[in-house]
Amino acid sequence: MTGRSLLWRAAALVLLALFITAPQLFAFAFEPLTANGAPAIYNQGSLLSLTLSHLRIVFLATLASTILALGLGIFVTRPSGREFLPLSRSLVNIGQTFPPVAVLAIAVPLVGFGEKPTFIALFLYGLLPTFENTLTGLMEVSPQTLEAAKGMGMNPRQRLFQVELPLALPVILAGIRLSVIISLGTATIGSTVAAKGLGEVIIAGLQSNNVAFVLQGGLVVALLAVLIHDGLGMAERFVAGKLGRPADEVS
């Protein structure tokens, strides 16, 4: 990443932090998008609070889906679990089969309104990228490397934690990165079922025909996605560099 790219990303981070903590400073930029004396800045809640709530539900759902997907990926790449690979693939594909709105519609009668149905939708949508990348990363470990580890006296558990997972980590991180970005965007619809998040700003703008609100919610989500995508990408490249792998193999 060049110095200019880092400068732009640092500027975007500062801009985002200023906007969600002191949005009134940017009122002049959004006033041309309002009509009939409508407020230029979202005034039905704290943008900072909504952003933190949005990130919180994304983090929790991603953490849960990563734990399950990683566990399944490890299990089906072991000799005792290979026969369960087709079943595991079917399970993690459930989230991609139904639209997020359909998942929410099914979850609300079961768990009620709020964060829970949103968590379920994000959890299901986050499984597939991490699971598939875990499979890819583990299967890419060369048999020669495993044989060398075995020749050194490592048992299967040691080979997994000291050889396979470290070598597969850059690819697994790429799957987690994709899962996070999907969840960041999908979480906006959680506001339709009373979950706190940046979707509130967008929905408020649509209901009041206030383009400024819609743009504010969309811009914050977009900047979060870009910054988190880049941050996780840097982590992948760092890990790949430590392993002596070209960065473009995992990007």
Side-chain angles (χ1 to χ4, degrees), residues 12-13 15-17 20 47-48 50-56 58 177 180-181 183-185 187-188 197-199 216-232:
L13 179 59
L15 181 65
L16 175 62
I20 63 176
L47 277 178
L48 176 60
L50 292 176
T51 301
L52 293 176
S53 296
H54 195 96
L55 291 173
R56 176 179 172 274
V58 168
R177 171 165 53 104
V180 170
I181 299 309
S183 294
L184 274 171
T188 56
L198 292 165
Q216 286 160 39
L219 283 175
V220 174
V221 172
L223 280 174
L224 285 172
V226 170
L227 292 170
I228 292 175
H229 180 277
D230 284 351
L232 292 175

PDB file of all heavy atoms in Angstrom, residues 12-13 15-17 20 47-48 50-56 58 177 180-181 183-185 187-188 197-199 216-232:
ATOM      1  N   ALA A  12     -10.021   9.505   5.548  1.00  0.00           N
ATOM      2  CA  ALA A  12     -11.380   8.954   5.607  1.00  0.00           C
ATOM      3  C   ALA A  12     -11.747   8.570   7.039  1.00  0.00           C
ATOM      4  O   ALA A  12     -12.879   8.791   7.480  1.00  0.00           O
ATOM      5  CB  ALA A  12     -11.491   7.735   4.688  1.00  0.00           C
ATOM      6  N   LEU A  13     -10.772   8.022   7.778  1.00  0.00           N
ATOM      7  CA  LEU A  13     -11.026   7.645   9.169  1.00  0.00           C
ATOM      8  C   LEU A  13     -11.300   8.874  10.030  1.00  0.00           C
ATOM      9  O   LEU A  13     -12.241   8.881  10.839  1.00  0.00           O
ATOM     10  CB  LEU A  13      -9.822   6.879   9.715  1.00  0.00           C
ATOM     11  CG  LEU A  13      -9.906   6.429  11.178  1.00  0.00           C
ATOM     12  CD1 LEU A  13     -11.110   5.525  11.392  1.00  0.00           C
ATOM     13  CD2 LEU A  13      -8.623   5.720  11.595  1.00  0.00           C
ATOM     14  N   LEU A  15     -12.406  11.785   8.965  1.00  0.00           N
ATOM     15  CA  LEU A  15     -13.676  12.344   8.520  1.00  0.00           C
ATOM     16  C   LEU A  15     -14.849  11.578   9.126  1.00  0.00           C
ATOM     17  O   LEU A  15     -15.822  12.176   9.603  1.00  0.00           O
ATOM     18  CB  LEU A  15     -13.750  12.297   6.989  1.00  0.00           C
ATOM     19  CG  LEU A  15     -15.009  12.873   6.344  1.00  0.00           C
ATOM     20  CD1 LEU A  15     -15.099  14.372   6.605  1.00  0.00           C
ATOM     21  CD2 LEU A  15     -15.018  12.591   4.846  1.00  0.00           C
ATOM     22  N   LEU A  16     -14.749  10.258   9.118  1.00  0.00           N
ATOM     23  CA  LEU A  16     -15.815   9.431   9.692  1.00  0.00           C
ATOM     24  C   LEU A  16     -15.955   9.693  11.183  1.00  0.00           C
ATOM     25  O   LEU A  16     -17.084   9.858  11.691  1.00  0.00           O
ATOM     26  CB  LEU A  16     -15.510   7.957   9.441  1.00  0.00           C
ATOM     27  CG  LEU A  16     -16.474   6.950  10.084  1.00  0.00           C
ATOM     28  CD1 LEU A  16     -17.879   7.135   9.524  1.00  0.00           C
ATOM     29  CD2 LEU A  16     -15.990   5.523   9.866  1.00  0.00           C
ATOM     30  N   ALA A  17     -14.822   9.739  11.897  1.00  0.00           N
ATOM     31  CA  ALA A  17     -14.870   9.977  13.338  1.00  0.00           C
ATOM     32  C   ALA A  17     -15.494  11.340  13.653  1.00  0.00           C
ATOM     33  O   ALA A  17     -16.311  11.470  14.574  1.00  0.00           O
ATOM     34  CB  ALA A  17     -13.457   9.892  13.924  1.00  0.00           C
ATOM     35  N   ILE A  20     -19.488  11.230  12.896  1.00  0.00           N
ATOM     36  CA  ILE A  20     -20.376  10.516  13.821  1.00  0.00           C
ATOM     37  C   ILE A  20     -20.344  11.106  15.228  1.00  0.00           C
ATOM     38  O   ILE A  20     -21.260  10.878  16.018  1.00  0.00           O
ATOM     39  CB  ILE A  20     -20.055   9.007  13.879  1.00  0.00           C
ATOM     40  CG1 ILE A  20     -18.640   8.770  14.420  1.00  0.00           C
ATOM     41  CG2 ILE A  20     -20.250   8.367  12.519  1.00  0.00           C
ATOM     42  CD1 ILE A  20     -18.308   7.296  14.578  1.00  0.00           C
ATOM     43  N   LEU A  47     -25.744   9.542  16.175  1.00  0.00           N
ATOM     44  CA  LEU A  47     -25.065   8.785  15.122  1.00  0.00           C
ATOM     45  C   LEU A  47     -23.953   7.915  15.705  1.00  0.00           C
ATOM     46  O   LEU A  47     -23.723   6.797  15.239  1.00  0.00           O
ATOM     47  CB  LEU A  47     -24.475   9.744  14.078  1.00  0.00           C
ATOM     48  CG  LEU A  47     -25.428  10.254  12.993  1.00  0.00           C
ATOM     49  CD1 LEU A  47     -24.683  11.224  12.079  1.00  0.00           C
ATOM     50  CD2 LEU A  47     -25.997   9.099  12.187  1.00  0.00           C
ATOM     51  N   LEU A  48     -23.283   8.415  16.712  1.00  0.00           N
ATOM     52  CA  LEU A  48     -22.223   7.635  17.352  1.00  0.00           C
ATOM     53  C   LEU A  48     -22.797   6.375  17.988  1.00  0.00           C
ATOM     54  O   LEU A  48     -22.256   5.270  17.814  1.00  0.00           O
ATOM     55  CB  LEU A  48     -21.508   8.480  18.403  1.00  0.00           C
ATOM     56  CG  LEU A  48     -20.426   7.755  19.222  1.00  0.00           C
ATOM     57  CD1 LEU A  48     -19.340   7.217  18.320  1.00  0.00           C
ATOM     58  CD2 LEU A  48     -19.857   8.685  20.291  1.00  0.00           C
ATOM     59  N   LEU A  50     -25.633   4.850  17.272  1.00  0.00           N
ATOM     60  CA  LEU A  50     -26.133   3.946  16.240  1.00  0.00           C
ATOM     61  C   LEU A  50     -24.985   3.221  15.529  1.00  0.00           C
ATOM     62  O   LEU A  50     -25.098   2.035  15.209  1.00  0.00           O
ATOM     63  CB  LEU A  50     -26.976   4.719  15.227  1.00  0.00           C
ATOM     64  CG  LEU A  50     -28.300   5.283  15.738  1.00  0.00           C
ATOM     65  CD1 LEU A  50     -28.977   6.116  14.649  1.00  0.00           C
ATOM     66  CD2 LEU A  50     -29.223   4.151  16.182  1.00  0.00           C
ATOM     67  N   THR A  51     -23.885   3.933  15.303  1.00  0.00           N
ATOM     68  CA  THR A  51     -22.723   3.309  14.662  1.00  0.00           C
ATOM     69  C   THR A  51     -22.140   2.215  15.541  1.00  0.00           C
ATOM     70  O   THR A  51     -21.810   1.120  15.062  1.00  0.00           O
ATOM     71  CB  THR A  51     -21.644   4.364  14.358  1.00  0.00           C
ATOM     72  OG1 THR A  51     -22.188   5.370  13.494  1.00  0.00           O
ATOM     73  CG2 THR A  51     -20.437   3.726  13.688  1.00  0.00           C
ATOM     74  N   LEU A  52     -22.017   2.494  16.838  1.00  0.00           N
ATOM     75  CA  LEU A  52     -21.484   1.492  17.757  1.00  0.00           C
ATOM     76  C   LEU A  52     -22.407   0.284  17.856  1.00  0.00           C
ATOM     77  O   LEU A  52     -21.934  -0.863  17.918  1.00  0.00           O
ATOM     78  CB  LEU A  52     -21.272   2.116  19.140  1.00  0.00           C
ATOM     79  CG  LEU A  52     -20.179   3.183  19.226  1.00  0.00           C
ATOM     80  CD1 LEU A  52     -20.130   3.798  20.625  1.00  0.00           C
ATOM     81  CD2 LEU A  52     -18.816   2.596  18.866  1.00  0.00           C
ATOM     82  N   SER A  53     -23.712   0.519  17.866  1.00  0.00           N
ATOM     83  CA  SER A  53     -24.663  -0.597  17.899  1.00  0.00           C
ATOM     84  C   SER A  53     -24.569  -1.433  16.626  1.00  0.00           C
ATOM     85  O   SER A  53     -24.642  -2.665  16.670  1.00  0.00           O
ATOM     86  CB  SER A  53     -26.095  -0.067  18.071  1.00  0.00           C
ATOM     87  OG  SER A  53     -26.256   0.577  19.307  1.00  0.00           O
ATOM     88  N   HIS A  54     -24.411  -0.746  15.505  1.00  0.00           N
ATOM     89  CA  HIS A  54     -24.278  -1.421  14.211  1.00  0.00           C
ATOM     90  C   HIS A  54     -23.029  -2.312  14.209  1.00  0.00           C
ATOM     91  O   HIS A  54     -23.081  -3.490  13.832  1.00  0.00           O
ATOM     92  CB  HIS A  54     -24.169  -0.369  13.105  1.00  0.00           C
ATOM     93  CG  HIS A  54     -24.384  -0.885  11.729  1.00  0.00           C
ATOM     94  ND1 HIS A  54     -25.599  -0.818  11.087  1.00  0.00           N
ATOM     95  CD2 HIS A  54     -23.543  -1.499  10.853  1.00  0.00           C
ATOM     96  CE1 HIS A  54     -25.496  -1.352   9.887  1.00  0.00           C
ATOM     97  NE2 HIS A  54     -24.248  -1.776   9.717  1.00  0.00           N
ATOM     98  N   LEU A  55     -21.918  -1.757  14.645  1.00  0.00           N
ATOM     99  CA  LEU A  55     -20.665  -2.513  14.691  1.00  0.00           C
ATOM    100  C   LEU A  55     -20.739  -3.662  15.696  1.00  0.00           C
ATOM    101  O   LEU A  55     -20.169  -4.738  15.467  1.00  0.00           O
ATOM    102  CB  LEU A  55     -19.502  -1.590  15.044  1.00  0.00           C
ATOM    103  CG  LEU A  55     -19.111  -0.573  13.972  1.00  0.00           C
ATOM    104  CD1 LEU A  55     -18.056   0.387  14.521  1.00  0.00           C
ATOM    105  CD2 LEU A  55     -18.585  -1.272  12.724  1.00  0.00           C
ATOM    106  N   ARG A  56     -21.448  -3.434  16.785  1.00  0.00           N
ATOM    107  CA  ARG A  56     -21.557  -4.471  17.814  1.00  0.00           C
ATOM    108  C   ARG A  56     -22.273  -5.702  17.287  1.00  0.00           C
ATOM    109  O   ARG A  56     -21.791  -6.835  17.458  1.00  0.00           O
ATOM    110  CB  ARG A  56     -22.301  -3.908  19.029  1.00  0.00           C
ATOM    111  CG  ARG A  56     -22.568  -4.924  20.133  1.00  0.00           C
ATOM    112  CD  ARG A  56     -23.284  -4.285  21.306  1.00  0.00           C
ATOM    113  NE  ARG A  56     -23.713  -5.285  22.271  1.00  0.00           N
ATOM    114  CZ  ARG A  56     -24.866  -5.947  22.193  1.00  0.00           C
ATOM    115  NH1 ARG A  56     -25.705  -5.691  21.186  1.00  0.00           N
ATOM    116  NH2 ARG A  56     -25.188  -6.847  23.102  1.00  0.00           N
ATOM    117  N   VAL A  58     -22.685  -6.605  14.201  1.00  0.00           N
ATOM    118  CA  VAL A  58     -21.865  -7.211  13.141  1.00  0.00           C
ATOM    119  C   VAL A  58     -20.727  -8.023  13.752  1.00  0.00           C
ATOM    120  O   VAL A  58     -20.455  -9.159  13.323  1.00  0.00           O
ATOM    121  CB  VAL A  58     -21.302  -6.125  12.207  1.00  0.00           C
ATOM    122  CG1 VAL A  58     -20.229  -6.701  11.280  1.00  0.00           C
ATOM    123  CG2 VAL A  58     -22.420  -5.507  11.378  1.00  0.00           C
ATOM    124  N   ARG A 177     -12.985 -11.520   6.311  1.00  0.00           N
ATOM    125  CA  ARG A 177     -13.135 -10.153   5.782  1.00  0.00           C
ATOM    126  C   ARG A 177     -14.393 -10.043   4.923  1.00  0.00           C
ATOM    127  O   ARG A 177     -15.176  -9.095   5.062  1.00  0.00           O
ATOM    128  CB  ARG A 177     -11.907  -9.777   4.959  1.00  0.00           C
ATOM    129  CG  ARG A 177     -12.041  -8.474   4.174  1.00  0.00           C
ATOM    130  CD  ARG A 177     -10.697  -7.974   3.690  1.00  0.00           C
ATOM    131  NE  ARG A 177      -9.950  -8.960   2.950  1.00  0.00           N
ATOM    132  CZ  ARG A 177      -9.816  -8.968   1.614  1.00  0.00           C
ATOM    133  NH1 ARG A 177     -10.413  -8.042   0.893  1.00  0.00           N
ATOM    134  NH2 ARG A 177      -9.085  -9.874   1.021  1.00  0.00           N
ATOM    135  N   VAL A 180     -17.492 -10.087   7.112  1.00  0.00           N
ATOM    136  CA  VAL A 180     -17.724  -8.813   7.807  1.00  0.00           C
ATOM    137  C   VAL A 180     -18.353  -7.781   6.877  1.00  0.00           C
ATOM    138  O   VAL A 180     -19.304  -7.081   7.257  1.00  0.00           O
ATOM    139  CB  VAL A 180     -16.403  -8.270   8.379  1.00  0.00           C
ATOM    140  CG1 VAL A 180     -16.576  -6.840   8.890  1.00  0.00           C
ATOM    141  CG2 VAL A 180     -15.897  -9.157   9.504  1.00  0.00           C
ATOM    142  N   ILE A 181     -17.845  -7.695   5.651  1.00  0.00           N
ATOM    143  CA  ILE A 181     -18.360  -6.696   4.706  1.00  0.00           C
ATOM    144  C   ILE A 181     -19.806  -7.006   4.337  1.00  0.00           C
ATOM    145  O   ILE A 181     -20.648  -6.098   4.245  1.00  0.00           O
ATOM    146  CB  ILE A 181     -17.471  -6.646   3.443  1.00  0.00           C
ATOM    147  CG1 ILE A 181     -16.045  -6.251   3.812  1.00  0.00           C
ATOM    148  CG2 ILE A 181     -18.034  -5.652   2.441  1.00  0.00           C
ATOM    149  CD1 ILE A 181     -15.911  -5.010   4.647  1.00  0.00           C
ATOM    150  N   SER A 183     -21.948  -8.550   6.244  1.00  0.00           N
ATOM    151  CA  SER A 183     -22.748  -8.256   7.430  1.00  0.00           C
ATOM    152  C   SER A 183     -22.948  -6.765   7.644  1.00  0.00           C
ATOM    153  O   SER A 183     -24.010  -6.333   8.088  1.00  0.00           O
ATOM    154  CB  SER A 183     -22.091  -8.875   8.665  1.00  0.00           C
ATOM    155  OG  SER A 183     -22.099 -10.278   8.602  1.00  0.00           O
ATOM    156  N   LEU A 184     -21.927  -5.964   7.340  1.00  0.00           N
ATOM    157  CA  LEU A 184     -22.060  -4.510   7.508  1.00  0.00           C
ATOM    158  C   LEU A 184     -23.212  -3.962   6.683  1.00  0.00           C
ATOM    159  O   LEU A 184     -23.983  -3.119   7.154  1.00  0.00           O
ATOM    160  CB  LEU A 184     -20.758  -3.819   7.105  1.00  0.00           C
ATOM    161  CG  LEU A 184     -19.679  -3.698   8.174  1.00  0.00           C
ATOM    162  CD1 LEU A 184     -18.386  -3.191   7.546  1.00  0.00           C
ATOM    163  CD2 LEU A 184     -20.113  -2.757   9.287  1.00  0.00           C
ATOM    164  N   GLY A 185     -23.317  -4.411   5.443  1.00  0.00           N
ATOM    165  CA  GLY A 185     -24.402  -3.941   4.590  1.00  0.00           C
ATOM    166  C   GLY A 185     -25.737  -4.535   4.971  1.00  0.00           C
ATOM    167  O   GLY A 185     -26.757  -3.843   5.021  1.00  0.00           O
ATOM    168  N   ALA A 187     -26.744  -5.625   7.828  1.00  0.00           N
ATOM    169  CA  ALA A 187     -27.237  -5.193   9.138  1.00  0.00           C
ATOM    170  C   ALA A 187     -28.156  -3.985   9.053  1.00  0.00           C
ATOM    171  O   ALA A 187     -28.936  -3.736   9.973  1.00  0.00           O
ATOM    172  CB  ALA A 187     -26.060  -4.886  10.056  1.00  0.00           C
ATOM    173  N   THR A 188     -28.088  -3.226   7.963  1.00  0.00           N
ATOM    174  CA  THR A 188     -28.940  -2.036   7.854  1.00  0.00           C
ATOM    175  C   THR A 188     -30.421  -2.402   7.839  1.00  0.00           C
ATOM    176  O   THR A 188     -31.249  -1.620   8.297  1.00  0.00           O
ATOM    177  CB  THR A 188     -28.605  -1.235   6.581  1.00  0.00           C
ATOM    178  OG1 THR A 188     -28.720  -2.081   5.445  1.00  0.00           O
ATOM    179  CG2 THR A 188     -27.196  -0.675   6.655  1.00  0.00           C
ATOM    180  N   GLY A 197     -29.221   0.477  14.829  1.00  0.00           N
ATOM    181  CA  GLY A 197     -28.157   0.473  13.840  1.00  0.00           C
ATOM    182  C   GLY A 197     -28.323   1.611  12.865  1.00  0.00           C
ATOM    183  O   GLY A 197     -29.269   2.410  12.952  1.00  0.00           O
ATOM    184  N   LEU A 198     -27.416   1.686  11.918  1.00  0.00           N
ATOM    185  CA  LEU A 198     -27.432   2.785  10.950  1.00  0.00           C
ATOM    186  C   LEU A 198     -28.589   2.682   9.975  1.00  0.00           C
ATOM    187  O   LEU A 198     -28.899   3.652   9.277  1.00  0.00           O
ATOM    188  CB  LEU A 198     -26.100   2.812  10.203  1.00  0.00           C
ATOM    189  CG  LEU A 198     -24.908   3.215  11.079  1.00  0.00           C
ATOM    190  CD1 LEU A 198     -23.590   2.881  10.394  1.00  0.00           C
ATOM    191  CD2 LEU A 198     -24.973   4.704  11.418  1.00  0.00           C
ATOM    192  N   GLY A 199     -29.228   1.538   9.912  1.00  0.00           N
ATOM    193  CA  GLY A 199     -30.427   1.418   9.085  1.00  0.00           C
ATOM    194  C   GLY A 199     -31.525   2.365   9.526  1.00  0.00           C
ATOM    195  O   GLY A 199     -32.362   2.779   8.712  1.00  0.00           O
ATOM    196  N   GLN A 216     -26.629  10.174   4.623  1.00  0.00           N
ATOM    197  CA  GLN A 216     -25.790  10.082   5.824  1.00  0.00           C
ATOM    198  C   GLN A 216     -25.624   8.635   6.277  1.00  0.00           C
ATOM    199  O   GLN A 216     -24.510   8.176   6.548  1.00  0.00           O
ATOM    200  CB  GLN A 216     -26.389  10.925   6.943  1.00  0.00           C
ATOM    201  CG  GLN A 216     -26.216  12.414   6.741  1.00  0.00           C
ATOM    202  CD  GLN A 216     -27.182  13.245   7.550  1.00  0.00           C
ATOM    203  OE1 GLN A 216     -27.468  12.926   8.698  1.00  0.00           O
ATOM    204  NE2 GLN A 216     -27.680  14.326   6.961  1.00  0.00           N
ATOM    205  N   GLY A 217     -26.724   7.912   6.354  1.00  0.00           N
ATOM    206  CA  GLY A 217     -26.643   6.514   6.758  1.00  0.00           C
ATOM    207  C   GLY A 217     -25.825   5.692   5.787  1.00  0.00           C
ATOM    208  O   GLY A 217     -24.981   4.884   6.183  1.00  0.00           O
ATOM    209  N   GLY A 218     -26.054   5.920   4.491  1.00  0.00           N
ATOM    210  CA  GLY A 218     -25.322   5.171   3.476  1.00  0.00           C
ATOM    211  C   GLY A 218     -23.844   5.474   3.476  1.00  0.00           C
ATOM    212  O   GLY A 218     -23.010   4.571   3.323  1.00  0.00           O
ATOM    213  N   LEU A 219     -23.483   6.751   3.660  1.00  0.00           N
ATOM    214  CA  LEU A 219     -22.071   7.135   3.661  1.00  0.00           C
ATOM    215  C   LEU A 219     -21.316   6.540   4.848  1.00  0.00           C
ATOM    216  O   LEU A 219     -20.176   6.088   4.704  1.00  0.00           O
ATOM    217  CB  LEU A 219     -21.938   8.661   3.674  1.00  0.00           C
ATOM    218  CG  LEU A 219     -22.178   9.369   2.341  1.00  0.00           C
ATOM    219  CD1 LEU A 219     -22.146  10.883   2.529  1.00  0.00           C
ATOM    220  CD2 LEU A 219     -21.136   8.949   1.303  1.00  0.00           C
ATOM    221  N   VAL A 220     -21.948   6.542   6.023  1.00  0.00           N
ATOM    222  CA  VAL A 220     -21.274   5.986   7.202  1.00  0.00           C
ATOM    223  C   VAL A 220     -21.031   4.490   7.015  1.00  0.00           C
ATOM    224  O   VAL A 220     -19.938   3.983   7.292  1.00  0.00           O
ATOM    225  CB  VAL A 220     -22.086   6.247   8.483  1.00  0.00           C
ATOM    226  CG1 VAL A 220     -21.449   5.535   9.670  1.00  0.00           C
ATOM    227  CG2 VAL A 220     -22.172   7.742   8.771  1.00  0.00           C
ATOM    228  N   VAL A 221     -22.042   3.773   6.518  1.00  0.00           N
ATOM    229  CA  VAL A 221     -21.879   2.331   6.278  1.00  0.00           C
ATOM    230  C   VAL A 221     -20.798   2.083   5.229  1.00  0.00           C
ATOM    231  O   VAL A 221     -19.949   1.195   5.381  1.00  0.00           O
ATOM    232  CB  VAL A 221     -23.218   1.698   5.825  1.00  0.00           C
ATOM    233  CG1 VAL A 221     -22.999   0.244   5.399  1.00  0.00           C
ATOM    234  CG2 VAL A 221     -24.241   1.763   6.949  1.00  0.00           C
ATOM    235  N   ALA A 222     -20.802   2.894   4.166  1.00  0.00           N
ATOM    236  CA  ALA A 222     -19.821   2.711   3.098  1.00  0.00           C
ATOM    237  C   ALA A 222     -18.397   2.971   3.603  1.00  0.00           C
ATOM    238  O   ALA A 222     -17.471   2.212   3.290  1.00  0.00           O
ATOM    239  CB  ALA A 222     -20.143   3.643   1.932  1.00  0.00           C
ATOM    240  N   LEU A 223     -18.216   4.045   4.377  1.00  0.00           N
ATOM    241  CA  LEU A 223     -16.883   4.342   4.907  1.00  0.00           C
ATOM    242  C   LEU A 223     -16.417   3.263   5.876  1.00  0.00           C
ATOM    243  O   LEU A 223     -15.247   2.863   5.865  1.00  0.00           O
ATOM    244  CB  LEU A 223     -16.888   5.702   5.609  1.00  0.00           C
ATOM    245  CG  LEU A 223     -16.801   6.926   4.707  1.00  0.00           C
ATOM    246  CD1 LEU A 223     -16.967   8.206   5.516  1.00  0.00           C
ATOM    247  CD2 LEU A 223     -15.471   6.961   3.953  1.00  0.00           C
ATOM    248  N   LEU A 224     -17.334   2.775   6.707  1.00  0.00           N
ATOM    249  CA  LEU A 224     -16.986   1.680   7.610  1.00  0.00           C
ATOM    250  C   LEU A 224     -16.534   0.453   6.821  1.00  0.00           C
ATOM    251  O   LEU A 224     -15.535  -0.198   7.166  1.00  0.00           O
ATOM    252  CB  LEU A 224     -18.182   1.314   8.492  1.00  0.00           C
ATOM    253  CG  LEU A 224     -18.528   2.262   9.632  1.00  0.00           C
ATOM    254  CD1 LEU A 224     -19.835   1.854  10.283  1.00  0.00           C
ATOM    255  CD2 LEU A 224     -17.415   2.287  10.676  1.00  0.00           C
ATOM    256  N   ALA A 225     -17.271   0.141   5.758  1.00  0.00           N
ATOM    257  CA  ALA A 225     -16.942  -1.027   4.950  1.00  0.00           C
ATOM    258  C   ALA A 225     -15.562  -0.890   4.316  1.00  0.00           C
ATOM    259  O   ALA A 225     -14.762  -1.830   4.335  1.00  0.00           O
ATOM    260  CB  ALA A 225     -18.008  -1.244   3.879  1.00  0.00           C
ATOM    261  N   VAL A 226     -15.275   0.289   3.764  1.00  0.00           N
ATOM    262  CA  VAL A 226     -13.977   0.511   3.112  1.00  0.00           C
ATOM    263  C   VAL A 226     -12.838   0.417   4.117  1.00  0.00           C
ATOM    264  O   VAL A 226     -11.824  -0.257   3.877  1.00  0.00           O
ATOM    265  CB  VAL A 226     -13.961   1.879   2.407  1.00  0.00           C
ATOM    266  CG1 VAL A 226     -12.550   2.233   1.946  1.00  0.00           C
ATOM    267  CG2 VAL A 226     -14.902   1.872   1.212  1.00  0.00           C
ATOM    268  N   LEU A 227     -13.002   1.065   5.252  1.00  0.00           N
ATOM    269  CA  LEU A 227     -11.934   1.092   6.251  1.00  0.00           C
ATOM    270  C   LEU A 227     -11.700  -0.286   6.869  1.00  0.00           C
ATOM    271  O   LEU A 227     -10.550  -0.712   7.059  1.00  0.00           O
ATOM    272  CB  LEU A 227     -12.260   2.110   7.344  1.00  0.00           C
ATOM    273  CG  LEU A 227     -12.231   3.573   6.892  1.00  0.00           C
ATOM    274  CD1 LEU A 227     -12.810   4.480   7.970  1.00  0.00           C
ATOM    275  CD2 LEU A 227     -10.801   4.004   6.556  1.00  0.00           C
ATOM    276  N   ILE A 228     -12.774  -0.993   7.184  1.00  0.00           N
ATOM    277  CA  ILE A 228     -12.624  -2.330   7.772  1.00  0.00           C
ATOM    278  C   ILE A 228     -12.066  -3.303   6.741  1.00  0.00           C
ATOM    279  O   ILE A 228     -11.203  -4.141   7.051  1.00  0.00           O
ATOM    280  CB  ILE A 228     -13.975  -2.821   8.334  1.00  0.00           C
ATOM    281  CG1 ILE A 228     -14.360  -1.971   9.548  1.00  0.00           C
ATOM    282  CG2 ILE A 228     -13.903  -4.294   8.723  1.00  0.00           C
ATOM    283  CD1 ILE A 228     -15.730  -2.274  10.110  1.00  0.00           C
ATOM    284  N   HIS A 229     -12.537  -3.191   5.498  1.00  0.00           N
ATOM    285  CA  HIS A 229     -12.011  -4.030   4.419  1.00  0.00           C
ATOM    286  C   HIS A 229     -10.504  -3.833   4.279  1.00  0.00           C
ATOM    287  O   HIS A 229      -9.731  -4.802   4.190  1.00  0.00           O
ATOM    288  CB  HIS A 229     -12.724  -3.680   3.113  1.00  0.00           C
ATOM    289  CG  HIS A 229     -12.270  -4.472   1.933  1.00  0.00           C
ATOM    290  ND1 HIS A 229     -11.150  -4.143   1.194  1.00  0.00           N
ATOM    291  CD2 HIS A 229     -12.788  -5.586   1.348  1.00  0.00           C
ATOM    292  CE1 HIS A 229     -10.993  -5.010   0.217  1.00  0.00           C
ATOM    293  NE2 HIS A 229     -11.970  -5.891   0.288  1.00  0.00           N
ATOM    294  N   ASP A 230     -10.063  -2.580   4.273  1.00  0.00           N
ATOM    295  CA  ASP A 230      -8.641  -2.296   4.139  1.00  0.00           C
ATOM    296  C   ASP A 230      -7.848  -2.766   5.358  1.00  0.00           C
ATOM    297  O   ASP A 230      -6.731  -3.290   5.234  1.00  0.00           O
ATOM    298  CB  ASP A 230      -8.425  -0.800   3.926  1.00  0.00           C
ATOM    299  CG  ASP A 230      -8.765  -0.354   2.519  1.00  0.00           C
ATOM    300  OD1 ASP A 230      -9.005  -1.233   1.672  1.00  0.00           O
ATOM    301  OD2 ASP A 230      -8.791   0.852   2.264  1.00  0.00           O
ATOM    302  N   GLY A 231      -8.421  -2.557   6.550  1.00  0.00           N
ATOM    303  CA  GLY A 231      -7.732  -2.977   7.762  1.00  0.00           C
ATOM    304  C   GLY A 231      -7.522  -4.479   7.814  1.00  0.00           C
ATOM    305  O   GLY A 231      -6.426  -4.955   8.138  1.00  0.00           O
ATOM    306  N   LEU A 232      -8.570  -5.233   7.488  1.00  0.00           N
ATOM    307  CA  LEU A 232      -8.435  -6.684   7.484  1.00  0.00           C
ATOM    308  C   LEU A 232      -7.533  -7.146   6.344  1.00  0.00           C
ATOM    309  O   LEU A 232      -6.803  -8.132   6.482  1.00  0.00           O
ATOM    310  CB  LEU A 232      -9.819  -7.333   7.366  1.00  0.00           C
ATOM    311  CG  LEU A 232     -10.728  -7.148   8.592  1.00  0.00           C
ATOM    312  CD1 LEU A 232     -12.106  -7.728   8.326  1.00  0.00           C
ATOM    313  CD2 LEU A 232     -10.108  -7.805   9.823  1.00  0.00           C
TER     314      LEU A 232
END
